[in-house]
Amino acid sequence: MRVDVLTLFPEAFVGPLDVSILRRARDAGLLELRLHDIRAHATDRHRTVDDYPFGGGQGMVMRVDVLDAALDAVRALAAEAGMVVYLSPQGERLNDTIVRELAEMPRLILVCGRYEGVDERFVAHCVDRQISIGDYVLSGGELPAMVLIDAVARHIPGALGDEQSAADESFAGGLLEHPQYTRPAEYRGWKVPEVLLSGHHGNVDRWKREQRLARTAERRPDLLRALEGDEGGGEQNGL
Ligand code: SAM
């Protein structure tokens, strides 16, 4: 998968995307990440990318002409047209279903806003999908883009090592994951559940399933309600 990011701060991406699973996915050629400075497409000598909002109001708005030129230039860098995603607090809230949909795309082009956001004409004419990472406002789209890239990369076949699997994790199948334990089996009198030490695979599997259901009911009853609403979903997950 190729991901192009349009941002005013390419340097913000150095670090978080250079470690662990993302680093390995990039090194293995599973994830090709390209960062592009929107300011390189400004045309005046001050390299202006924003301007005052028409109609008045606080702050500045990113210009449609600069963004459109940046997007055109980036699009031309690869044969795949790519899906253009604008990270926005006004977009659909990111969840596991959307992450899996995006992971199917051969190319994503992520646009990070700053200031008061981008000129609405850019959204209307150039953006395929708007995505929010939650109901709060951040200073820019860079952190949301990194969240999206990390979540999506985990679903690229081969990105996770053999020891990990996105299929067993929280939200896969609509439930939270069961609790996890490792050695030592006892620490300060805090014991690991006996069943996990029993070596009885059937009992362990049953315990994990019960824990997933109990945990989801306690922490995220909305997920269980959604599963029960899905035709066949409840049955599939042992509800
Ligand atoms: N004035 C905008 C509003 O009220 O909807 C908020 C602009 S915000 C300060 C600047 C940029 O940060 C946005 O253009 C967007 O790219 C990004 N951003 C902020 N919060 C976000 C969120 N929850 N999810 C995704 N992107 C976000």
Side-chain angles (χ1 to χ4, degrees):
M1 162 183 262
R2 175 177 169 131
V3 179
D4 291 275
V5 182
L6 278 76
T7 170
L8 288 173
F9 299 101
E11 66 275 19
F13 290 79
V14 177
L17 305 184
D18 291 329
V19 294
S20 185
I21 289 165
L22 286 170
R23 180 72 267 163
R24 283 208 310 270
R26 294 173 69 186
D27 288 346
L30 301 170
L31 172 67
E32 184 183 351
L33 180 67
R34 300 289 183 92
L35 303 169
H36 310 279
D37 189 350
I38 294 169
R39 201 173 293 280
H41 301 274
T43 50
D44 65 340
R45 67 190 175 90
H46 299 294
R47 303 180 75 206
T48 311
V49 295
D50 57 338
D51 214 326
Y52 294 98
F54 280 127
Q58 295 290 311
M60 305 294 272
V61 176
M62 291 176 72
R63 292 174 58 120
V64 61
D65 52 348
V66 178
L67 285 166
D68 189 38
L71 181 59
D72 271 355
V74 167
R75 268 205 174 113
L77 296 175
E80 285 285 352
M83 171 181 277
V84 180
V85 175
Y86 169 46
L87 284 311
S88 164
Q90 301 181 21
E92 320 162 66
R93 209 167 334 141
L94 189 61
N95 60 26
D96 193 56
T97 306
I98 297 175
V99 165
R100 286 167 191 270
E101 281 169 24
L102 296 181
E104 300 281 313
M105 302 288 156
R107 184 184 186 194
L108 293 176
I109 302 178
L110 308 182
V111 182
C112 305
R114 278 271 157 180
Y115 318 123
E116 288 307 314
V118 308
D119 187 305
E120 191 63 25
R121 290 167 292 181
F122 179 74
V123 178
H125 297 285
C126 308
V127 169
D128 297 313
R129 202 156 178 178
Q130 296 184 69
I131 292 182
S132 164
I133 63 160
D135 291 349
Y136 41 81
V137 175
L138 296 159
S139 311
E142 287 75 15
L143 288 170
M146 286 185 252
V147 167
L148 190 149
I149 292 166
D150 188 315
V152 166
R154 298 175 65 79
H155 293 277
I156 300 174
L160 295 184
D162 282 348
E163 76 284 4
Q164 293 163 306
S165 163
D168 298 336
E169 284 186 313
S170 293
F171 308 110
L175 298 174
L176 300 181
E177 194 181 53
H178 54 81
Q180 304 270 15
Y181 300 88
T182 187
R183 287 188 286 184
E186 183 171 347
Y187 173 70
R188 292 174 61 178
W190 306 335
K191 291 184 179 157
V192 167
E194 203 63 48
V195 61
L196 295 180
L197 310 175
S198 69
H200 190 300
H201 296 305
N203 287 351
V204 170
D205 286 348
R206 198 169 313 115
W207 178 86
K208 286 183 178 176
R209 197 166 54 249
E210 285 164 9
Q211 290 292 319
R212 296 183 78 199
L213 284 166
R215 205 162 244 223
T216 310
E218 182 193 325
R219 299 181 184 183
R220 292 294 302 275
D222 58 306
L223 293 178
L224 275 188
R225 281 195 295 276
L227 263 187
E228 283 158 358
D230 283 352
E231 209 184 342
E235 198 181 308
Q236 195 182 316
N237 288 285
L239 292 174

